[in-house]
Amino acid sequence: MKIETRLKLNYLISLSVIIILLIVLVWIYRMMIKAEENEDLAADIRKNALERIMFRDEYLMTNVERARAQFISKTKTVDNLLTRALHNFTKTSDKALCEEIQKSFDITNTIFSRIVNIRAKDSNLRRGSIASPEGEQRLIGQLILKAYDLNGKIARLNDSAELTATNVREALVLLLLCFISLMVISNIYNSVSIGNLLGKRVKMISEGTTIIGAGNLGYRIAVSGDDELSILARQTNDMAAQLQNSYAALEQEIGYRESANRELEAFSYSVSHDLRTPLRAINGFSAAVIEDYADKLDDEGKRLLNVINDNAKKMGHLIDDLLAFSRIGRQELKKQEIDMHVLFNSAAQNFIYTVSERVFHLDIKPMLAAIGDPVLITQVIINLLSNAIKFSEPKDSIDIEIGCSPEEHENIYYVKDHGVGFDMQFADNLFGVFQRLHSQDQFEGTGVGLALSQRIIHRHGGRMWAEGIVNEGAIFYFTLPKSRNAE
Amino acid sequence: MNEKVVEILLVEDNPTDVELTLRAFKKNNITNSVHVSKDGQDALDFIFAHGKYADRAINFTPKVILLDLQLPKVSGMEVLRRIKSDERTKLVPVVVLSSSKEEQDLIESYKLGVNSYITKPIDFENFSKAVSTVGYYWTLFNQPPL
Amino acid sequence: MWCTNVPSMAFSLLVSVLSGRCPPGVKRAIAFFPLIVFLSAFSTGCNQPQTQTGPPEKITIAYSTLPHTTVFHIAFLKGFLSAEGLEVKANPFPFGKLALDALLEGKADMATQADTPVMFAITGGKKIYIIAQIASSSRSEAIVARKDRGIATPYDLKGKKIGVSLGTANDFFMDSFLTTHGISRNEVKIVNMTLGEMADAIIKGRVDAVSTWVPFIQQVENRLGNKGITFYDEAIFHEPLCLTASQEFVKHHPEAVKKVLRALVRAEKFINENPEESRRLVSEFIKMDRTSVDQIFNLFDYKVILDQTLLVSLEDQAKWAIKNKLTRARTIPNFIDFIYTDALKSVKSDAVRLIR
């Protein structure tokens, strides 16, 4: 059963118990009202019947007409009450009792009127002063007897009504308690069972995910049931299976890449070795020609040999840069916390001497520490600074600003110059290997520096980009992860 | 002079590099006798007086061995390992003269006990300077243990 | 007892459940608690008869074979008496007076009869107790007269020959009937006869009317056909049927008395709930045809009680007996001393409505 279903069930049980309780309460309450009405009615009958007896006795003893009239009036009252009782009492035994009472009551009325008749006939009778004739005496005796009988029955009705009322009240209390305990027990049972289930499932999933999270992708959570958490467990299992597949695919891919890398390494090794040897030969022998045959060569011949010489050297540089670039991808990072200020500052010191004959403004703003490989980051900084200086050369002075701004997880560092700048439409070409925006004649360099720098930054999980305006200057940005110790 | 003492053993397969090296020696007035081996096997035979060098006295070891790493037959690294693991030759100074700038070659060489590791510069001027420096140092200034 | 304790029990259980103080086993039991309460609350059989241990008590009861003794008949037939652990020897008599005689002679421990013989016994100084009224009626006596002798109203009885069994309840009824209609005993000719003789006497014309008693009223009515006329008078008559015992017996066997009463109370309940079956059982038991039983059965109110009507009835009859010198006593005895209320009070307290 789903947990949602269980909770709904819990809620429905409570609701239905409450509804049933309400219905039963209303029903019992109505019963109680009726029972209490009947109780009052029976008490009323009893009270009036007793008052009627008092009028009866007053009349029998004093023969006063007023007492007789009052007796008759009381009789009517009782008669009305009895009619109501006959209608109101619903229990069979009570109804039968009411009928008996009515009968006894009627008999007492008959006897009373017979006594009244006898007294009316016997005009000699003075008001209670002399003994009444024997017939009347007999009737009075019977009247008293029937009245006792009547009152006994009324008392029984009274008791019955009281008992009914008491029973209904007790039933009310009892039912209330039953329903409340029923509800409480069912809710406790439901909550406990849901709690147990939740606890069991959550523990299972937690253990499972911990094991899977620790790297055992082959582990599967033992799943039973069809509730939400079981579904979650199954989904976790599916996820683990998916991860396992992806992991296997990745490992295979890594295997391919590693072998490709090894091939690449072998390739670059032989490039470095094999290409350099002929270059050295070109360079060495052209130098030998210049040395050994200086007297036989005219100036143009010497110049041409020097061109050969220089190009061989340049090609050597190109090869070296290319190898360095490829090495970055394979090199292991030795990450640590870097004081960027120190790094920028010491890198900048290297250039002070090279540009000493010109005005050189270097503004290093406050720096935030970063995480990275200091050797590689130094290489990036040197590349950027040398670029900035190089492209500022046509200007009268060299103005370089170095700064930093913090982001959420990383810091952005920038190197800003006021050099020749570049056209933003070529911004993407800046970081390509051997991509140049300026001719070799204008600015020397192999065109590998920025590609290499970007590669280093990418390997640190950062980004590198540039903004520039032709003849205004350029800003090179790179990001590095924040130091965890940073305040 | 058949028992001519070889002072420098140059192990190098590339004839242009051999010529450039010898030229650099000559240019810098290093006149010591040089034996050139064109492959690793030849170098080992020479050092340990095997094969065609069987009649050579083994105790006359070169003052210095200049060793390229990229060699036919037996690699330079293997030659280095054999020299440095043999009691008779392990004290002979070996200078690796390689065109490789690979770090792993450098580390491996030092692990095997190389005395010096020099990357051949492309520029002849620098090359010449480096070769002559090595030649001077190991043949003239260095005092061998015995 | 149960009814008052259940709510408090339920409450305390509820409290302990809510405060979580109960062991797990109890929790499971409490799950069924509302069910138990429901079943208990709605099962009405609260006072089941106590099962008797030990040997049954022997008791002899003299009873009349007339339908107004139905309560006893049913108690005996349905085994309510033996269920109380009583071994009852039931001796049948055609009339209650004979049953009382058996009691007075020491041949029975208890007897059933109308109040008239009881009144005579007590005024005659017999040491007996009335244990309970087991039925009552105002229509158990009537005067059946012959219309062809010129009798159409009660007043026409003046100067007529009336057959009556002197000193019995029908004598008292006739006396009251005449007196309340302004006819004195001297103004009629009274012929003493047994109840059995009455039908023949009136049919054959030896008397003009008879004051008689169930079931003879119906017997006479049937034989007279449309020549007859019956005068009932509920206003002047009330006849309680009594269960009596010797004072000696009550003194020594108070528990037996209670047991008998308990059985009779069960019988009363049975009769009121199963009137049809009761009539059939009684008809078979007293060997009276169903038609007669059906005619008589509803004339009686079958209730085991002790109330004020008994006292008034006894006194009225005593007054009449003394006046007519039917007894040697000159004063009305205090009948309340001859009514034993303790037993019925302990068996069914609300059945006792006698003010002592």
Side-chain angles (χ1 to χ4, degrees), chain A residues 8 104 127 165 174 191 199 226-227 236 343 382 392 419-420 444 458 466:
Chain A
K8 258 188 196 154
S104 299
R127 286 184 175 184
L174 210 69
S191 304
D226 60 349
D227 51 81
T236 309
L343 226 59
I382 286 173
S392 294
V420 295
E444 54 186 36
H458 281 174

Side-chain angles (χ1 to χ4, degrees), chain A residues 100 107 111 114 134-135 138-139 141-142 145-146 148-149 152 155-156 159 170 174-175 177-178 181 184-185, chain C residues 6-7 14 30 37-38 41 138 175-176 179-180 233-238 301 303 308-309 312-313 323 353:
Chain A
E100 280 181 41
I107 290 170
I111 300 172
R114 271 165 76 170
E134 204 190 337
R138 211 46 83 70
L139 282 170
Q142 279 300 312
L145 188 148
K146 303 280 170 174
Y148 278 130
D149 180 46
R156 258 160 61 203
D159 287 356
E170 274 175 1
L174 210 69
L175 273 173
L177 283 171
C178 282
S181 49
V184 166
I185 287 159
Chain C
V6 165
L14 198 68
I30 284 167
V37 171
F38 265 115
S138 294
D175 192 75
S176 287
T179 313
T180 54
D233 197 342
E234 291 175 53
I236 59 153
F237 188 70
H238 178 86
D301 186 12
K303 285 211 175 63
Q308 204 72 11
T309 59
V312 177
S313 182
K323 190 183 162 233
R353 298 204 177 276

